[in-house]
Amino acid sequence: MQPILHQAHDAKYAIPQINVNGLIWIEGILRAAEKKRAPIILGTTDKIIDYLGGYEFICKLIHLKAQSLNITTPYVIHLDHGNSVESCIKAIDAGYDSVMYDGSRLPLEENIENMKKVVNYAHQHHVLVEGEIGGIGGNEDGLVNEVQYADLDECKQLVQQTQLDALAPALGSVHGRYQGEPKLGFKEMTEINEQVAVPLVLHGASGLSDEDLKKAILLGHSKINFNTEINIAWSQYIRQRLNADVTLFNAKEIVAPSIHVIQSTVESIIDKCDAAERV
């Protein structure tokens, strides 16, 4: 994770993180990355781990699927929104390449204390650590937050005192569907990028304009997370498929073609992030 993240930061493009919501997501994501010759991050949020079969199962499953598809582009397995020190450690022990400890709802001192524990353990295992400051709005796997902009001084304290590797400062993006027009804080983004010496991460990118994404990338965002727009495209396809032929009942006939919807949506995201032909 470390070298490809810094390569993206230096070259002013972003690596997309695509959340995994089931087996077919893994295939669609990996096929898109291979076709576009792009590095890719497969994210699993802490809230969905049990549904996916546990940290070790999903990690091994991704590697096995990549092997069966003869994937040659770099891919990263990332724990998104790890809600405890213990869950981050479990992911690291299971073989994850990268973990996010989300202490954004805690007082800064507690966030820093817990982050130090995660960073210390992760770095011993050559695993990258992402942290978050502020409140990214919307709904992420059952977690509902109000938008709360990141404070520059708190960003600096979290990075300097913990030595984390990437920072997700809340700057107006929202998980899930946007209500109205997104309002990213580019002024705050500029200040944080200039004074915090790690790559930035943008959560809740689904629904942002291409122009806003490009601005965010130029202002230090080297990892950008996507989930909602893939889920919307996939669910619309399934709904149309079933409505078009009410006699369908074979699961493979219904689900297998939807992998192409996931793949094509991820390919579009790779292009938005200017990550194609980077490997």
Side-chain angles (χ1 to χ4, degrees):
M1 179 65 162
Q2 190 80 287
I4 64 173
L5 188 66
H6 282 275
Q7 179 182 339
H9 186 264
D10 293 342
K12 300 298 182 185
Y13 65 93
I15 305 169
Q17 175 195 298
I18 311 297
N19 281 25
V20 173
N21 295 289
L23 175 60
I24 60 172
W25 268 258
I26 298 171
E27 182 169 344
I29 294 166
L30 291 173
R31 285 189 181 278
E34 186 73 12
K35 181 178 177 180
K36 288 289 185 176
R37 304 303 302 159
I40 201 77
I41 300 165
L42 296 93
T44 60
T45 60
D46 225 356
K47 288 289 184 179
I48 204 173
I49 286 294
D50 288 342
Y51 166 75
L52 293 174
Y55 301 102
E56 188 172 357
F57 176 81
I58 192 64
C59 189
K60 288 183 177 179
L61 187 63
I62 291 171
H63 287 312
L64 287 170
K65 177 54 73 173
Q67 183 179 354
S68 72
L69 294 172
N70 296 314
I71 300 300
T72 61
T73 52
Y75 64 91
V76 170
I77 304 174
H78 173 76
L79 176 65
D80 193 27
H81 291 282
N83 57 24
S84 69
V85 174
E86 291 73 24
S87 64
C88 290
I89 289 174
K90 286 179 181 177
I92 294 165
D93 288 343
Y96 276 58
D97 306 296
S98 174
V99 296
M100 175 197 178
Y101 171 68
D102 186 357
S104 60
R105 290 175 297 280
L106 300 174
L108 178 62
E109 293 77 14
E110 191 174 348
N111 191 359
I112 290 174
E113 180 182 351
N114 290 344
M115 184 66 74
K116 284 180 178 178
K117 296 175 183 177
V118 174
V119 169
N120 181 57
Y121 192 81
H123 285 180
Q124 290 179 42
H125 295 78
H126 309 290
V127 170
L128 181 141
V129 181
E130 175 186 332
E132 184 175 315
I133 282 283
I136 295 169
N139 187 312
E140 176 80 356
D141 289 330
L143 296 175
V144 179
N145 293 321
E146 295 296 326
V147 176
Q148 182 182 353
Y149 274 37
D151 177 82
L152 174 60
D153 289 336
E154 290 189 354
C155 289
K156 291 163 66 176
Q157 288 182 60
L158 184 65
V159 173
Q160 291 169 1
Q161 293 185 38
T162 67
Q163 300 300 303
L164 56 77
D165 305 288
L167 179 68
L171 294 168
S173 59
V174 175
H175 290 128
R177 290 181 183 266
Y178 279 87
Q179 303 296 323
E181 290 295 320
K183 296 181 180 178
L184 295 185
F186 289 112
K187 177 179 178 293
E188 294 84 356
M189 198 180 291
T190 301
E191 293 173 346
I192 291 171
N193 182 46
E194 289 175 348
Q195 299 192 44
V196 175
V198 294
L200 302 181
V201 179
L202 180 63
H203 286 237
S206 296
L208 293 178
S209 68
D210 291 355
E211 181 181 358
D212 281 356
L213 282 176
K214 288 177 182 178
K215 284 184 183 179
I217 291 169
L218 290 175
L219 292 174
H221 286 86
S222 309
K223 173 177 176 282
I224 301 182
N225 295 8
F226 298 86
N227 185 33
T228 301
E229 69 187 76
I230 302 102
N231 292 345
I232 290 173
W234 176 82
S235 62
Q236 285 177 343
Y237 169 82
I238 293 292
R239 193 172 292 113
Q240 290 165 2
R241 177 96 168 126
L242 292 173
N243 288 337
D245 186 351
V246 296
T247 67
L248 274 179
F249 64 88
N250 184 288
K252 183 179 179 181
E253 291 180 15
I254 297 168
V255 175
S258 70
I259 296 173
H260 298 292
V261 177
I262 296 170
Q263 179 179 337
S264 62
T265 308
V266 175
E267 287 176 15
S268 174
I269 287 169
I270 289 170
D271 288 338
K272 290 180 183 180
C273 293
D274 196 20
E277 301 299 330
R278 296 291 183 175
V279 294

